[in-house]
Amino acid sequence: MKRIIVVGNGMVGYKFCEKLRKQGVAAEVIVYGEEPRPAYDRVHLTSFFSGKTAEDLLMAPASWYAEHHIVLHTGELVTEIDRQQKTITTHTGKTDRYDYLVLATGSSPFVPNVKGVERDGVFVYRTIEDLNQIIDYGKKVTRAAVLGGGLLGLEAGKALVDLGLETHIVEFAPRLMPRQLDEQGSVILQHKLSQLGIAVHLNKSTKEIAGNGKLDGLEFVDGSFLPIEMLVISAGIRPRDEVAKGCGLEVHPRGGVVVNDFLQTNDENIFAIGEVAVHNNMVYGLVAPGYEMADIVVRQIAGDFSKTFQGFDMSTKLKLMGVDVGSFGDALGETPGCIPIAFQDKHNGVYKRINISADGKYLLGGILVGDAKQYNLFHQMAANKMALPAQPESLIIGAPGKGEEGAGVKNLPDSAQICACENITKGDLVFQITEKGVKTLDDLKRSTKACTGCGGCTPMVNDILKITLESLGHTVKKSICEHFDYTRQELYDIVKIKNIKTYDALLDSHGKGDGCEVCKPLVASLLASAWNELIVSQATIQDTNDRFLANIQRGGTYSVVPRIAGGEITPQKLMAIGRIAEKYGLYTKITGGQRIDMFGARVDQLPEIWEELIDEGFESGHAYGKALRTIKSCVGSTWCRYGVQDSVSFAIYIEDRYKGLRAPHKLKGAVSGCIRECAEAQSKDFGIIATEKGWNLYVCGNGGSRPQHAKLLVTDVDTETCVKLVDRFLMFYIRTADPLTRTATWLNKMEGGLEYLRDVIVNDSLGIGEALEKEMAELIANYACEWKKVVEDPALRAQFKHFINEDSTDSTLSFVEMRGQKCPPDWNKK
Amino acid sequence: MELLNDIRSLATTESDIKVWYKAARTIDFPENGGACVKYKDQQIAVFNFSRRNEWYACQNLCPHKMQMVLSRGMIGSAGEEPKVACPFHKKTFSLRNGECINATEEKLAVFPVKVEDGFVYIGFAR
Ligand code: SRM
Ligand SMILES: Cc1cc2nc3c(=O)[nH]c(=O)nc-3n(C[C@H](O)[C@H](O)[C@H](O)COP(=O)(O)OP(=O)(O)OC[C@H]3O[C@@H](n4cnc5c(N)ncnc54)[C@H](O)[C@@H]3O)c2cc1C
Ligand code: SF4
Ligand code: FES
């Protein structure tokens, strides 16, 4: 059997092993990796800052290598290659023999030769160890900068922001991402970054990293100075060709091991793949070309010499949250005679540029900033030389409708590459769906590995799945899971019409199997919306928050949120909360919803705490439910010199009216006492703003990750009408929305939009107005504080215990101290 | 990690159970749901899958973020496979063999369960 040694266990080295085993190549495989752990997903390194652990990032656990008969040596650096003897030597003195050697040593960050780079507080950004050091050091400082405004530099900048640091990006060139963007694109991006809190400094050549031991700032050639305490250098990469050089393999003057179209070095038994390889004077600093190289070498070892490396498209899409940037094909319009067309909307921070071939027939490349939804489509149009529409500018001017991406996908040729990481074409996906009977996205991911790399192709894969299934005559139904072949709306009607009161009854009559974590809470919510009966009487179909009537927190304790309608509270009640929180040792915080949250209660303490709260006159705040949360209020005419109506009284009235109301998603409202809008009513599911003559009612607003302003439904209505319209609006939403859809999204998807909604609610065009009001009245009549019921019922109370067989509590719970209160320890340090 | 190793050392197969631990009355468990049983210093999640008239037991510790919560998870089926979903991030695990179904988390330790005279017993290696 041939013996293959892989030097370097990074993303590409790992992919080589995976592909080799998948091909079923019989060969001994020994891997040497310098890093202390098996290969991990460097592309998603930054997600480390948002809670991913080192384990989460592993490409495969250590056991995978053993299971696939691959010997993996981690923490072992290959220092020498003897091409005559065909052996390698490691830093610990181990030697090993090969028939084929695969160099996948990647690259290291390029550190420019600036005075002071050795100072404390200067870092690079490539490995998990780098990140850990950055995180640790970041705790001690407040101001940081990234040297380099390229793709990686921006990512590092976002990471610094996430660490809570004042963040600067310093770039030598006159624009950001100089290799991908033009001047205008950079300006828009810069503006977007400033909204994220990142300051950008262009045209800056760094003279010295100043300081004494540790750094205290950057001194620039133009004489200016930027005071910072930490610096992350992201100034490019240098291929790790040192061992290759040492054994006389040909290396490029700018670094990197030179390979031919077969990825062979000048020694036919030694290959180089990934970031260490130089093909046609190019180093590819992306994973997709590296994976392609791995694939080609695997094929050769298996005896298939038909595929060669022909260069790779360097199109990129930035994956920073909140900043969409795409750059594809000939982005900067360097092809002779090409015609650029650009569209710019400074107000919304959008810039789009496409470069058309001189004959006007093809898309050559382009840039998208602020709105990169069309990236996949454009990229494929360029790569596949698809014919352009008669007015190519229509591609970027005018609002692209929702359906368009789907329609565009339909026209792509089968050869279009959809998943660049795994090199999967549209044809491959369609084949799985038409010939292999794949019907779901999950199955498609499993059978092709599409979407499993960077994940950027997921929307397109989904579109292809949908379109192909439809073309096969399958109606693509939004059934909720394998147990129910219905949509939420259909199930709601079934529950109401057949008078079904329990999950089991619905599963027996309309479902199959034993249910799951998707349909159980969904049906629980439907039953609650339909009948408003005590939810804990069917405790085990509830999501954990509803099952224990409290929000589960890191560490497994719960939080307690009593209702404080309209945010109004008496001093006595404030003291009661203070006393109870102190007694049970709870962390307290004012929430964003104008009330008080007490955290860190053990499950067995919940009934006792609530018993005391109820004695003090509190009720459940339903912070745990897909239910009405809070009605925020501003102080209004009672105190405020501008107030024109009593917003506090109205907010309290509304909150009491709808408390306990369960819906497809949570519901929030607000009432402001005048046009100044201090209660932020226009960001709520329903918001009411006082006018001289009455109230203006706004609906379908939303905060959260995709904020959307509420839309004006009616103006100057009196109090009674306002309440009637809210009744109808909420009930119509409960009846018709998809699961876990906030009112804003519900409206966005509604055919006819706001006009239609107004017709139904205000003009009663469907003639259901009265029915909606009646249903609401029944729900309101059925309200009871669920915590009161639990506290009074010993059998229900008994469900709140950690152990069923004894009274002790969970000994694994632990807390750390923070600013005089407790909180759970960091769960990433497991 | 220690927690995981300890619990694994208790796991066993039907054929060489050393201890049948009498945990609690069957009626103490919620229908189609779970509860946590303490055995020595360990926490075991025990599920009354009444819809199928089956009982299952596994470690209470979710390997994803090392949280002691699986007994509070929702149970159900994926095809024929009985499963539990962790309340935190809804990773799901087979109740039969402990394998993670929708992600690549480590396998759970599972334990045999029997019911006699209205009591639930769990089988341990020691
Ligand atoms: C406690 C609180 C943060 C705080 O300390 O201030 C909070 C905490 C949580 N929010 Fe929130 N949100 C809180 C106010 C808000 C607000 C501000 C507001 O209500 O004015 C918003 C934006 C407004 C909005 O919803 O439109 C908000 C938007 C979200 C979202 C995004 C919703 C969306 O439709 O995009 C989620 C995620 C979700 O619900 O799926 C969320 C989810 C959560 C969850 C439930 C996450 C979770 O599953 O654990 C947190 C529960 C913690 C707990 O146990 O209490 N929280 N959350 C606030 C509780 C308010 C209250 O008194 O009930
Ligand atoms: C923060 C960050 C974000 C990124 N984002 C993207 C992105 O969005 N899209 C994209 O396509 N790419 C991205 N990249 C680039 C991508 O990660 C690399 O292209 C990819 O990791 C290259 O794989 P590789 O195996 O060639 O090199 P590496 O992953 O660097 O692996 C090489 C391994 O070999 C080891 N090694 C080196 N020399 C030796 C030796 N002599 N003996 C033993 N072991 C050795 C190294 O320690 C290393 O572990 C990003 C990179 C970073 C750092
Ligand atoms: S409270 Fe809301 S914004 Fe804050 S971490 Fe939790 S879900 Fe996110
Ligand atoms: S802790 Fe169990 S799924 Fe995350």
Side-chain angles (χ1 to χ4, degrees):
Chain A
M1 219 178 344
K2 294 278 189 218
R3 191 173 167 88
I4 305 174
I5 290 185
V6 183
V7 187
N9 186 222
M11 296 186 77
V12 174
Y14 163 78
K15 192 52 78 175
F16 172 81
C17 296
E18 185 194 286
K19 286 184 186 271
L20 194 74
R21 284 314 184 216
K22 211 162 171 193
Q23 281 276 328
V25 177
E28 284 179 82
V29 181
I30 302 92
V31 183
Y32 290 90
E34 174 195 17
E35 292 190 68
R37 64 191 94 232
Y40 52 88
D41 182 355
R42 215 179 289 290
V43 170
H44 291 102
L45 203 56
T46 306
S47 64
F48 206 64
F49 289 96
S50 49
K52 280 270 168 79
T53 61
E55 280 95 298
D56 289 339
L57 289 178
L58 286 186
M59 303 291 293
S63 57
W64 179 89
Y65 297 85
E67 280 158 23
H68 291 82
H69 308 288
I70 293 170
V71 183
L72 172 64
H73 301 280
T74 50
E76 193 112 15
L77 179 75
V78 172
T79 49
E80 256 171 70
I81 300 170
D82 183 335
R83 288 164 51 198
Q84 257 67 52
Q85 302 295 321
K86 290 197 180 174
T87 59
I88 59 106
T89 308
T90 73
H91 78 296
T92 58
K94 197 182 286 169
T95 62
D96 202 345
R97 179 190 64 78
Y98 65 82
D99 296 306
Y100 292 118
L101 188 67
V102 177
L103 296 174
T105 50
S107 61
S108 54
F110 167 65
V111 178
N113 190 10
V114 177
K115 195 169 158 208
V117 282
E118 73 294 342
R119 292 198 196 289
D120 283 353
V122 181
F123 300 92
V124 293
Y125 194 76
R126 179 140 189 118
T127 64
I128 288 185
E129 284 68 32
D130 294 337
L131 256 66
N132 278 330
Q133 287 176 12
I134 290 173
I135 292 172
D136 282 349
Y137 203 85
K139 288 185 184 136
K140 295 183 282 191
V141 300
T142 53
R143 295 166 61 95
V146 179
L147 194 65
L151 206 63
L152 271 184
L154 295 185
E155 219 177 291
K158 178 65 173 33
L160 295 179
V161 171
D162 287 346
L163 287 178
L165 301 175
E166 178 187 320
T167 303
H168 301 262
I169 289 183
V170 177
E171 168 62 48
F172 176 74
R175 57 179 195 265
L176 288 168
M177 294 176 68
R179 283 205 272 168
Q180 288 90 4
L181 294 187
D182 60 8
E183 188 70 38
Q184 286 98 312
S186 166
V187 169
I188 298 271
L189 176 60
Q190 206 176 326
H191 184 68
K192 288 259 163 189
L193 291 178
S194 72
Q195 288 172 347
L196 283 178
I198 300 176
V200 177
H201 310 264
L202 301 173
N203 287 314
K204 290 285 181 194
S205 166
T206 309
K207 190 165 120 204
E208 184 179 343
I209 299 171
N212 183 6
K214 59 183 197 317
L215 85 163
D216 53 31
L218 295 182
E219 227 179 276
F220 300 115
V221 173
D222 64 10
S224 56
F225 184 79
L226 178 67
I228 48 158
E229 300 155 283
M230 177 166 154
L231 180 69
V232 178
I233 295 184
S234 175
I237 53 172
R238 284 290 172 272
R240 300 216 20 204
D241 57 10
E242 58 277 7
V243 240
K245 216 186 248 167
C247 68
L249 290 177
E250 185 190 343
V251 296
H252 195 270
R254 275 180 283 125
V257 181
V258 177
V259 293
N260 61 18
D261 290 356
F262 290 101
L263 288 320
Q264 278 169 327
T265 62
N266 56 327
D267 178 332
E268 58 175 9
N269 297 316
I270 303 183
F271 299 92
I273 56 178
E275 280 188 353
V276 72
V278 180
H279 178 262
N280 258 342
N281 294 315
M282 274 284 279
V283 170
Y284 292 90
L286 295 174
V287 278
Y291 284 4
E292 169 99 351
M293 294 177 187
D295 188 54
I296 293 168
V297 177
V298 165
R299 281 165 189 259
Q300 284 174 58
I301 294 177
D304 168 8
F305 293 88
S306 62
K307 196 172 159 193
T308 55
F309 189 73
Q310 294 301 332
F312 211 88
D313 182 43
M314 291 292 273
S315 304
T316 35
K317 192 170 163 199
L318 196 65
K319 54 191 184 298
L320 296 186
M321 272 275 281
V323 191
D324 280 352
V325 181
S327 157
F328 58 96
D330 176 10
L332 300 176
E334 285 156 345
T335 312
C338 87
I339 312 159
I341 305 178
F343 162 82
Q344 187 168 0
D345 173 357
K346 275 214 171 112
H347 179 64
N348 290 308
V350 175
Y351 174 69
K352 300 180 180 185
R353 165 180 175 163
I354 50 178
N355 302 316
I356 311 286
S357 61
D359 59 7
K361 285 194 180 141
Y362 308 113
L363 185 58
L364 297 170
I367 296 169
L368 299 169
V369 181
D371 171 6
K373 280 199 282 298
Q374 294 151 300
Y375 170 81
N376 284 329
L377 183 62
F378 284 3
H379 180 194
Q380 288 308 319
M381 287 179 78
N384 292 288
K385 291 207 152 188
M386 283 169 65
L388 284 174
Q391 274 119 7
E393 64 276 13
S394 67
L395 286 175
I396 51 168
I397 302 171
K402 268 188 215 148
E404 254 178 40
E405 176 124 349
V409 167
K410 204 179 232 160
N411 298 331
L412 286 178
D414 275 354
S415 60
Q417 187 193 48
I418 305 297
C419 173
C421 299
E422 294 286 338
N423 186 16
I424 291 157
T425 62
K426 178 181 168 192
D428 296 336
L429 294 168
V430 171
F431 175 78
Q432 292 292 324
I433 303 163
T434 53
E435 307 299 318
K436 302 273 166 178
V438 170
K439 288 206 176 61
T440 66
L441 185 62
D442 279 348
D443 288 343
L444 203 52
K445 284 183 187 173
R446 228 164 306 181
S447 62
T448 61
K449 290 208 133 207
C451 317
T452 57
C454 70
C457 61
T458 313
M460 232 176 169
V461 172
N462 220 341
D463 281 340
I464 290 174
L465 176 68
K466 202 164 146 250
I467 288 168
T468 315
L469 284 176
E470 276 168 359
S471 74
L472 292 175
H474 295 289
T475 38
V476 185
K477 223 181 129 173
K478 285 192 273 177
S479 64
I480 59 175
C481 68
E482 65 176 81
H483 305 106
F484 286 98
D485 229 349
Y486 296 95
T487 63
R488 177 184 178 277
Q489 194 173 344
E490 287 165 344
L491 281 181
Y492 179 78
D493 291 341
I494 292 170
V495 162
K496 286 291 269 191
I497 294 162
K498 304 245 160 112
N499 204 22
I500 293 175
K501 301 273 173 111
T502 67
Y503 173 80
D504 287 339
L506 187 66
L507 185 61
D508 288 339
S509 58
H510 291 84
K512 51 178 182 284
D514 305 305
C516 67
E517 71 285 357
V518 174
C519 59
K520 284 184 172 180
L522 184 141
V523 171
S525 150
L526 281 181
L527 293 171
S529 289
W531 314 118
N532 209 3
E533 288 178 351
L534 185 65
I535 60 167
V536 279
S537 55
Q538 295 184 64
T540 56
I541 59 166
Q542 311 291 343
D543 260 326
T544 191
N545 286 358
D546 274 326
R547 177 167 176 190
F548 295 101
L549 301 178
N551 298 51
I552 197 165
Q553 306 295 342
R554 276 182 16 205
T557 62
Y558 288 85
S559 71
V560 174
V561 188
R563 188 166 294 291
I564 299 177
E568 183 187 80
I569 186 164
T570 61
Q572 281 79 6
K573 280 188 154 181
L574 270 179
M575 285 189 276
I577 289 188
R579 179 183 63 73
I580 294 167
E582 188 170 48
K583 173 168 169 190
Y584 292 93
L586 305 176
Y587 165 98
T588 52
K589 177 180 181 299
I590 311 285
T591 71
Q594 290 190 339
R595 46 190 188 171
I596 300 172
D597 203 341
M598 291 170 261
F599 294 83
R602 293 192 317 261
V603 69
D604 59 287
Q605 293 177 315
L606 290 171
E608 292 166 45
I609 294 173
W610 273 104
E611 187 162 28
E612 296 202 30
L613 285 168
I614 288 166
D615 277 347
E616 297 282 357
F618 286 103
E619 288 184 321
S620 169
H622 299 94
Y624 43 81
K626 300 295 173 225
L628 181 85
R629 295 280 168 90
T630 66
I631 307 295
K632 272 171 80 164
S633 77
C634 72
V635 65
S637 61
T638 41
W639 290 89
C640 176
R641 64 193 163 129
Y642 293 116
V644 292
Q645 307 277 353
D646 181 358
S647 49
V648 182
S649 298
F650 198 25
I652 294 173
Y653 172 80
I654 298 261
E655 185 158 343
D656 276 337
R657 183 175 180 82
Y658 301 120
K659 65 189 174 191
L661 182 71
R662 287 193 143 75
H665 208 311
K666 60 189 171 193
L667 283 169
K668 298 175 178 183
V671 183
S672 278
C674 85
I675 196 167
R676 287 170 192 75
E677 241 283 72
C678 299
E680 301 172 301
Q682 290 168 93
S683 68
K684 300 296 177 210
D685 296 284
F686 57 102
I688 300 169
I689 301 175
T691 66
E692 298 281 352
K693 297 185 202 129
W695 310 97
N696 285 350
L697 174 60
Y698 292 79
V699 292
C700 303
N702 197 161
S705 59
R706 290 187 175 277
Q708 187 169 320
H709 277 146
K711 305 228 162 47
L712 184 60
L713 190 72
V714 282
T715 47
D716 293 328
V717 288
D718 59 41
T719 306
E720 201 185 330
T721 313
C722 186
V723 171
K724 184 176 87 178
L725 294 178
V726 176
D727 274 2
R728 289 181 180 183
F729 165 72
L730 292 177
M731 213 53 234
F732 187 52
Y733 164 65
I734 289 173
R735 270 199 193 182
T736 59
D738 286 336
L740 296 179
T741 305
R742 288 288 292 272
T743 53
T745 321
W746 171 65
L747 180 63
N748 294 345
K749 287 192 200 160
M750 191 180 290
E751 226 164 287
L754 182 68
E755 287 309 309
Y756 174 77
L757 184 67
R758 187 180 289 124
D759 263 355
V760 175
I761 304 298
V762 186
N763 307 329
D764 198 11
S765 61
L766 299 179
I768 57 171
E770 228 172 282
L772 294 174
E773 286 164 47
K774 202 165 138 266
E775 279 173 50
M776 181 60 86
E778 283 164 17
L779 290 181
I780 293 170
N782 238 355
Y783 168 81
C785 169
E786 42 208 25
W787 262 116
K788 188 151 187 283
K789 291 226 172 160
V790 171
V791 164
E792 286 168 356
D793 182 337
L796 291 177
R797 276 183 89 133
Q799 295 179 4
F800 292 78
K801 272 178 73 178
H802 189 75
F803 294 114
I804 191 174
N805 59 335
E806 48 166 282
D807 282 331
S808 62
T809 57
D810 181 1
S811 61
T812 64
L813 290 181
S814 64
F815 299 97
V816 294
E817 211 220 64
M818 199 181 219
R819 291 182 292 277
Q821 298 202 72
K822 73 173 181 189
C823 66
D826 185 355
W827 69 7
N828 291 326
K829 296 186 185 132
K830 48 183 176 179
Chain B
M1 272 305 136
E2 247 169 76
L3 286 170
L4 261 183
N5 292 336
D6 284 352
I7 192 106
R8 282 187 188 140
S9 70
L10 283 179
T12 176
T13 53
E14 206 76 56
S15 53
D16 42 37
I17 295 166
K18 296 278 173 349
V19 185
W20 275 111
Y21 174 69
K22 186 173 178 181
R25 293 179 305 175
T26 50
I27 52 165
D28 293 337
F29 289 86
E31 288 201 357
N32 290 311
C36 182
V37 168
K38 189 165 182 180
Y39 174 67
K40 298 189 167 167
D41 268 339
Q42 301 294 328
Q43 302 193 13
I44 314 294
V46 178
F47 298 98
N48 173 12
F49 210 140
S50 37
R51 191 180 165 79
R52 291 161 62 142
N53 203 10
E54 292 166 2
W55 289 79
Y56 294 99
C58 64
Q59 66 190 56
N60 195 31
L61 185 71
C62 178
H64 176 224
K65 293 284 179 186
M66 297 291 164
Q67 300 285 301
M68 279 294 186
V69 284
L70 289 175
S71 60
R72 300 180 208 169
M74 248 178 272
I75 59 172
S77 61
E80 277 304 300
E81 199 67 18
K83 64 172 183 176
V84 59
C86 175
F88 271 101
H89 310 98
K90 298 226 166 141
K91 309 257 179 192
T92 56
F93 301 88
S94 158
L95 288 170
R96 252 200 276 258
N97 57 24
E99 299 283 349
C100 182
I101 296 173
N102 63 354
T104 52
E105 300 304 329
E106 296 219 22
K107 201 167 147 167
L108 306 179
V110 294
F111 305 90
V113 184
K114 69 175 181 188
V115 171
E116 265 171 32
D117 302 329
F119 278 90
V120 178
Y121 294 80
I122 313 168
F124 293 112
R126 56 184 170 80

